[in-house]
Amino acid sequence: MARPTSSRPARRHGAAAASAVLAVVGLAPAGLTDPAPATAAPRTAPETPAPAPKSAAPAPETAAPDPDLVRAVSRDLGLSTAEARTRLANEAEAAATAGALRTALGDSFAGARVSGRTAERLTVATTEAGRTARITRAGATARVVARDLGDLDRVQQALDRAAARSAPQGVPVWYIDIARNDVVVEAHSTSAAHALLERAGVGRNAVTVRHTTAEPRPFADLRGGDTYYMNGRGRCSVGFSVTRGGQSGFVTAGHCGTPGTTTNGYDRQPQGTFQGSAFPGADHAWVATNSHWTPRPLVNGYGHGDVRVAGATEALVGSSVCRSGSATGRRCGTIQQRDTSVTYPQGTVFGVARTTVCAESGDSGGSFISGSQAQGTTSGGTGDCTSGGTTFFYPLIPALQAYGLTLVTSGTR
């Protein structure tokens, strides 16, 4: 039996290394050697949750977090073991509180985010001062802002439509910044940013332009994070185990293959075939696997124990998140922004999340998970795991929705 495997919704409201190249985690040559596959506390903090997840995934677990996950978060976020454990508990509680407040506040909800060393502060924004008491009663810090998520999202979508017609030159990233209550456009020059704004019909006062030298690229190269090979020409990483009807498979990055591309597993044995793929615009795909591969609700911990997948509740901006991939194993960081658009040489991808996690070629398609909750699959970024970098992941829920897939979780298998 082959190695078991593990399994973005439409847009939601929601240290790069010097000389890095923005890239979709580019396909790693197939001949490269891969890492061997490895077999409730206080809270208070953020200010921007992406829209409530659209899946019926289980709520975040509040039980003690996996010890290996605690160690990984501790290592990569510079926390003590106790601080890492507290942070994970705080993040889970904050996500639940923010979800309830989003429903209670309705259209006045303007985002949420966690902050603080152990994510001890939950900040929830609203456009109506009269709603602050409700936020405070829930134990969060209230913030009154001028622009609602609908306004910010309209600006973001206008930029996305312009980029979909023709990928912008010199404008690698733009996103909704809940903390600033603004839309930020990162560009190589002011003129490049203004050119995109003009094409999108967006006023210059509707966004903040920031200078960047980043040039993102995809990180391309059935347990989440395991290696697989495409037609013998390169390698990527498994995202999460999924099913559709009686068919098993996994989600991964769209830039790793097109429908009909065949795959071999980490052991080079026949594995499956790409059934659907989208890139650019989106960056998701799914591979149907043969009967020799059994989907598991696991993510490869690369020597630190597998992580069980309990659901797909979306983590808030500011939360810790860990990535597993065939090139650099398990790496952790925090979610900086959601609702981000990034332009690679091949075109623009919309609706990704930007993180402080590092990645390299071959990590593409691999799992992003926060606690026990699946978040998405590695798309691309800048830098590397020696000097540090920025990595973007494509949210999981839209990929599941696009192909009618069901995430394999510890509650179902």
Side-chain angles (χ1 to χ4, degrees):
M1 179 70 70
R3 164 74 62 186
T5 65
S6 320
S7 121
R8 165 203 158 156
R11 174 174 305 290
R12 297 172 293 226
H13 297 312
S19 74
V21 179
L22 253 187
V24 322
V25 187
L27 303 182
L32 292 184
T33 301
D34 306 317
T39 55
R43 78 103 182 86
T44 57
E47 157 186 46
T48 207
K54 302 174 183 174
S55 70
E61 296 178 343
T62 56
D66 175 75
D68 291 310
L69 174 62
V70 172
R71 282 192 287 271
V73 171
S74 172
R75 176 197 67 198
D76 291 346
L77 273 65
L79 304 174
S80 68
T81 298
E83 287 173 327
R85 189 178 293 111
T86 297
R87 182 181 181 107
L88 290 168
N90 284 346
E91 290 171 354
E93 185 181 350
T97 300
L101 284 172
R102 180 181 179 86
T103 299
L105 298 177
D107 291 342
S108 75
F109 179 81
R113 70 181 182 89
V114 289
S115 59
R117 184 173 176 82
T118 58
E120 69 276 8
R121 183 183 182 196
L122 169 63
T123 302
V124 176
T126 178
T127 56
E128 297 181 16
R131 300 297 192 106
T132 58
R134 175 68 181 82
I135 296 171
T136 302
R137 285 199 302 272
T141 298
R143 180 179 177 223
V144 180
V145 296
R147 304 171 70 180
D148 60 37
L149 288 178
D151 177 37
L152 299 174
D153 196 51
R154 283 187 290 274
V155 174
Q156 174 86 6
Q157 290 188 19
L159 296 171
D160 289 355
R161 286 192 296 269
R165 293 191 295 269
S166 177
Q169 299 298 310
V171 187
V173 178
W174 54 98
Y175 53 84
I176 293 174
D177 189 333
I178 298 298
R180 291 176 54 91
N181 190 228
D182 197 6
V183 175
V184 177
V185 175
E186 296 191 353
H188 296 166
S189 67
T190 301
S191 60
H194 289 172
L196 173 60
L197 296 178
E198 183 175 353
R199 285 201 294 119
V202 171
R204 298 181 182 181
N205 61 348
V207 306
T208 294
V209 175
R210 292 179 179 166
H211 180 265
T212 183
T213 58
E215 296 179 359
R217 68 196 184 285
F219 288 130
D221 235 291
L222 255 231
R223 173 185 55 180
D226 279 354
T227 302
Y228 70 89
Y229 301 90
M230 302 81 69
N231 287 347
R233 292 197 301 266
R235 80 165 190 266
C236 277
S237 302
V238 173
F240 295 94
S241 291
V242 296
T243 60
R244 187 169 78 174
Q247 177 63 59
S248 298
F250 62 88
V251 291
T252 188
H255 69 264
C256 288
T258 57
T261 298
T262 59
T263 69
N264 291 75
Y266 73 94
D267 55 0
R268 305 284 184 157
Q269 295 303 303
Q271 180 189 64
T273 306
F274 275 74
Q275 302 297 303
S277 179
F279 178 79
D283 193 5
H284 56 58
W286 92 280
V287 175
T289 54
N290 61 45
S291 60
H292 295 291
W293 296 82
T294 301
R296 301 293 188 192
L298 301 172
V299 172
N300 191 336
Y302 283 93
H304 299 283
D306 292 340
V307 180
R308 298 195 69 82
V309 179
T313 299
E314 188 175 86
L316 301 180
V317 168
S319 296
S320 60
V321 67
C322 297
R323 174 197 57 70
S324 286
S326 66
T328 58
R330 180 198 274 182
R331 303 286 178 156
C332 300
T334 60
I335 299 172
Q336 295 176 297
Q337 291 93 22
R338 288 187 177 270
D339 294 297
T340 298
S341 301
V342 56
T343 296
Y344 301 126
Q346 299 89 337
T348 301
V349 176
F350 311 109
V352 296
R354 183 162 79 164
T355 75
T356 64
V357 185
C358 70
E360 297 179 11
S361 292
D363 287 327
S364 272
S367 324
F368 263 87
I369 189 165
S370 182
S372 63
Q373 302 298 307
Q375 299 298 306
T377 53
T378 304
S379 177
T382 61
D384 55 38
C385 288
T386 299
S387 56
T390 293
T391 299
F392 303 93
F393 71 78
Y394 195 85
L396 176 64
I397 301 303
L400 300 180
Q401 293 175 334
Y403 307 116
L405 304 172
T406 298
L407 176 68
V408 175
T409 68
S410 56
T412 57
R413 283 185 181 251

